[in-house]
Amino acid sequence: MAVLSVAAFASSHREAPSITTTPKADGTDFYMFRSYETNRSDFITVIANYQPLQDGYGGPNYFSMDPNALYEIHIDNDGDAQEEITFQFNFKNTLRDIQLPIGTTNPPSVSIPLIQAGTVSALSDPNLNLTESYTMTVVRDGRRNSNRTLAAKTSGGSTTLEKPVDNIGEKTIPDYVAYANQHIHTVTIPGCASGTNQARVFVGQRQEGFAVNLGTIFDLVNAPAEVIGNRAMFANAAAANSIQDKNVTSIALEIHKDCLAPSAEKVIGGWTTASVRQVQIGDGVPGQGHQKAEKVGGAWVQVSRLGMPLVNEVVIGLKDKDRFNASKPSGDGQFLTYVSNPTLPQLISMVVPGLENTAPINFPRTDLLNVFLAGIQGVNRPANVTLSEMLRLNTTIAPKPFAEQQTLGVLAGDLAGFPNGRRPKDDVVDVALVAVMGGLCVANGANNGLGLNTVPGTTLSSACNPDSVPLGDTSLQVHDAVDQAQVPFLNVFPYLNTPIPGAVN
């Protein structure tokens, strides 16, 4: 079977104009799936990645989280486009100011310029000049609601959770795996029933898990579509998977499924956001200490939003990208036209040699409206859904072991995969390309077998069938020639791989 290849597009890395000026608050990827670690199948893992394109050698300050930002994971468990549970993460970076005596007679103590003064191996290691910690607050019935409680460690009851320093290098941290694992905390989630209120949380640097060829993509998809035997190939694939030597910072949370979906509705929606204070003023004469160069105040202002991958990059128009990052799912009606009449298929057909005049012709694109805004009927659509963009997961569908997972998820018959939630191994680019180029309408058939001709709660309809897809059956085979299956992952929490070190011995 011949396979058609086109260039990939990136997940949420520097996707909107304003977020490029606030990289510590930039959400890059969001995952939500039934845990496939042995004996953990009753749990849901949620991972929110921040701070894109980190180089392992990015010292001397590396990539601590912003204590002046608020990082949040939101869960909608009744389909109303409103968060019923929010997990808030607030960070604190503490400067120890390690000093060394420098000189011979009555030497002065002088502050060191690095964030470490020796080998690091322990929790809150004394050789760390800068330590990072955070709190996790569980908020119910609205993110700014007063119904909020700090999660506490099940052992000792502390609400202060330690974060590992980034992977500086093998001389500083000889065994980063063992060091990072000390920072997987077991906590009690307030408001959940006994037996479902124990969770695990980890915040720390991880290897980038998204496979993409960035340079080729943003140079007007600088690669022709090719069919070579039964394999897809890039004509200029030398830079394929160009960000695999980068790291990100992950907020990973594993919670019992009945804690997140305690009622009859078992489909949950999730998304992550980051907010900063409304006012930030530079201090012309900063005081001594850590991050004293600015003063902040005012209400929280949301600057990043991420649920389904790729939406703000390749669906939302440039003029509305900052607006989307500041929005909530309940207001997604303002962006409906970007999904119902998407520009990406037309752009692909304009700039990729071999794909001329291949954009689907069914408008409005009821196929995309269903998948991105409602969920798939019989898979991950809530019973009473309000159209809104978020990642949706049916918590009753059992997970598959890592080795059995299909990278195309639902398209390959693996209902535990994307777009029913998202696992690290899922090739969301390939699935999204198939969708935008009309593959779902081919699968819908002439008799509306998947019910994609209409959209729940609306009067919208279209002829979503094979006749509306110029690529025909080939639309089901379009992919980006960057192999997500080759990205290394863990098969245990927190699933994303150990970060690339800054230096190796």
Side-chain angles (χ1 to χ4, degrees):
M1 180 182 294
V3 181
L4 194 63
S5 166
V6 299
F9 33 82
S11 192
S12 294
H13 300 73
R14 293 169 53 85
E15 80 287 348
S18 290
I19 200 63
T20 62
T21 67
T22 317
K24 286 181 178 289
D26 186 358
T28 68
D29 280 289
F30 184 69
Y31 305 88
M32 187 167 64
F33 53 93
R34 283 276 295 268
S35 298
Y36 45 88
E37 179 180 341
T38 302
N39 298 323
R40 303 294 293 184
S41 62
D42 283 341
F43 290 82
I44 305 296
T45 294
V46 183
I47 304 173
N49 287 346
Y50 282 88
Q51 300 197 63
L53 306 177
Q54 299 177 19
D55 288 311
Y57 51 79
N61 292 299
Y62 298 95
F63 303 95
S64 59
M65 297 293 267
D66 189 353
N68 294 322
L70 177 65
Y71 303 85
E72 298 177 289
I73 294 172
H74 311 280
I75 302 295
D76 169 15
N77 57 24
D78 62 8
D80 66 351
Q82 306 274 357
E83 64 268 18
E84 278 69 54
I85 310 173
T86 293
F87 301 94
Q88 295 180 344
F89 295 82
N90 297 86
F91 290 87
K92 180 180 181 180
N93 302 330
T94 302
L95 179 65
R96 283 184 168 144
D97 191 25
I98 295 175
Q99 301 179 352
L100 299 176
I102 305 298
T104 55
T105 303
N106 296 321
S109 294
V110 182
S111 300
I112 68 171
L114 305 179
I115 66 172
Q116 86 277 31
T119 300
V120 173
S121 62
L123 205 68
S124 300
D125 197 288
N127 282 332
L128 278 175
N129 195 26
L130 182 72
T131 62
E132 300 177 68
S133 62
Y134 60 98
T135 58
M136 184 177 79
T137 305
V138 181
V139 189
R140 296 187 179 273
D141 301 321
R143 65 185 75 177
R144 302 296 173 257
N145 198 308
S146 60
N147 183 3
R148 54 183 56 235
T149 310
L150 287 172
K153 294 181 182 179
T154 56
S155 176
S158 175
T159 58
T160 297
L161 308 173
E162 296 85 3
K163 174 186 175 294
V165 71
D166 293 342
N167 198 356
I168 297 169
E170 293 180 355
K171 183 177 181 180
T172 297
I173 312 174
D175 188 346
Y176 195 84
V177 172
Y179 168 68
N181 284 346
Q182 296 176 64
H183 298 80
I184 298 176
H185 305 291
T186 301
V187 298
T188 300
I189 302 297
C192 291
S194 177
T196 71
N197 61 353
Q198 303 298 299
R200 293 192 291 182
V201 61
F202 170 85
V203 178
Q205 193 178 50
R206 297 283 93 187
Q207 183 180 7
E208 173 64 74
F210 188 75
V212 67
N213 188 348
L214 283 178
T216 292
I217 297 154
F218 294 123
D219 185 23
L220 292 178
V221 195
N222 187 9
E226 287 190 299
V227 178
I228 302 178
N230 63 352
R231 297 185 62 195
M233 300 289 289
F234 259 146
N236 59 345
N241 207 3
S242 58
I243 63 173
Q244 205 48 66
D245 62 345
K246 305 297 184 182
N247 296 323
V248 292
T249 300
S250 295
I251 300 174
L253 185 59
E254 186 191 58
I255 314 170
H256 197 282
K257 59 185 177 59
D258 294 336
C259 177
L260 295 180
S263 59
E265 178 58 75
K266 297 304 179 184
V267 173
I268 61 174
W271 68 101
T272 184
T273 63
S275 301
V276 298
R277 291 296 186 183
Q278 194 171 33
V279 178
Q280 301 184 54
I281 302 173
D283 190 334
V285 186
Q288 292 183 320
H290 187 255
Q291 285 189 258
K292 299 293 185 180
E294 65 179 12
K295 299 180 183 298
V296 301
W300 290 113
V301 176
Q302 182 180 303
V303 295
S304 179
R305 170 187 169 187
L306 179 60
M308 291 281 279
L310 310 167
V311 171
N312 208 2
E313 289 80 2
V314 297
V315 177
I316 304 299
L318 184 58
K319 70 178 182 180
D320 281 326
K321 288 183 180 293
D322 290 335
R323 181 184 292 271
F324 180 84
N325 267 352
S327 68
K328 298 179 180 179
S330 58
D332 281 349
Q334 63 185 308
F335 306 116
L336 189 69
T337 301
Y338 287 123
V339 183
S340 65
N341 298 72
T343 58
L344 178 63
Q346 185 66 24
L347 285 170
I348 289 175
S349 71
M350 290 168 55
V351 303
V352 180
L355 290 182
E356 296 88 351
N357 302 313
T358 57
I361 59 175
N362 59 301
F363 297 106
R365 289 292 301 274
T366 53
D367 49 331
L368 300 183
L369 290 167
N370 273 284
V371 172
F372 284 93
L373 301 184
I376 302 171
Q377 182 65 42
V379 179
N380 66 337
R381 180 183 297 172
N384 299 296
V385 65
T386 298
L387 294 186
S388 52
E389 189 279 305
M390 62 182 71
L391 194 62
R392 291 185 171 88
L393 174 70
N394 186 334
T395 64
T396 68
I397 295 177
K400 283 187 176 294
F402 183 77
E404 298 177 17
Q405 293 174 13
Q406 301 295 314
T407 58
L408 294 182
V410 173
L411 280 179
D414 181 359
L415 297 185
F418 183 76
N420 180 33
R422 179 188 177 189
R423 304 166 300 197
K425 192 177 182 179
D426 289 335
D427 198 328
V428 296
V429 172
D430 283 358
V431 176
L433 280 171
V434 168
V436 300
M437 297 309 292
L440 296 175
C441 288
V442 172
N444 197 41
N447 297 316
N448 194 29
L450 300 179
L452 297 180
N453 284 345
T454 58
V455 181
T458 75
T459 59
L460 298 174
S461 64
S462 75
C464 175
N465 57 53
D467 290 341
S468 67
V469 183
L471 278 176
D473 289 345
T474 304
S475 63
L476 292 167
Q477 303 153 16
V478 175
H479 70 87
D480 66 343
V482 181
D483 191 356
Q484 180 72 29
Q486 298 303 311
V487 180
F489 294 112
L490 308 175
N491 60 3
V492 297
F493 184 83
Y495 295 101
L496 299 187
N497 199 34
T498 303
I500 304 295
V504 297
N505 291 330

